[in-house]
Amino acid sequence: MGQATIPVSAIVRRCERAVVTAYRELRDTGADDFSAFRACTTLYRVHHPEASVQEARRLVAEWIDHHVVHGAVGPTPGCDCD
């Protein structure tokens, strides 16, 4: 999968920025997609312990798809934090 590079600083939410950064770094160091996804779901839940596993998986998948797969820079759906 080709990863488009957007400036991580363009991502407004801290948890979203952390997830996208972690996913990219894990993949760059050889982690498979599923392992990186699981780690990022856990990371999201560290930022948001109130989130269900299903909610965390949905948001992480949307963010990875938006920022990494499509290389989009616009706003994404997600949590209300900043």
Side-chain angles (χ1 to χ4, degrees), residues 2-82:
Q3 295 182 8
T5 303
I6 63 162
V8 174
S9 61
I11 301 172
V12 176
R13 290 182 203 98
R14 286 179 299 194
C15 56
E16 184 174 357
R17 187 170 46 246
V19 162
V20 171
T21 299
Y23 181 83
R24 286 182 174 147
E25 288 179 2
L26 287 164
R27 294 291 286 154
D28 286 347
T29 59
D32 63 84
D33 180 60
F34 187 66
S35 296
F37 176 79
R38 282 185 23 200
C40 290
T41 300
T42 300
L43 176 61
Y44 177 81
R45 293 194 73 217
V46 167
H47 282 263
H48 292 283
E50 75 283 0
S52 69
V53 172
Q54 293 79 13
E55 178 185 9
R57 287 177 180 157
R58 180 185 59 80
L59 285 173
V60 168
E62 287 178 6
W63 293 343
I64 290 169
D65 182 64
H66 183 80
H67 294 292
V68 179
V69 175
H70 292 103
V73 294
T76 63
C79 59
D80 294 329
C81 70
D82 53 358

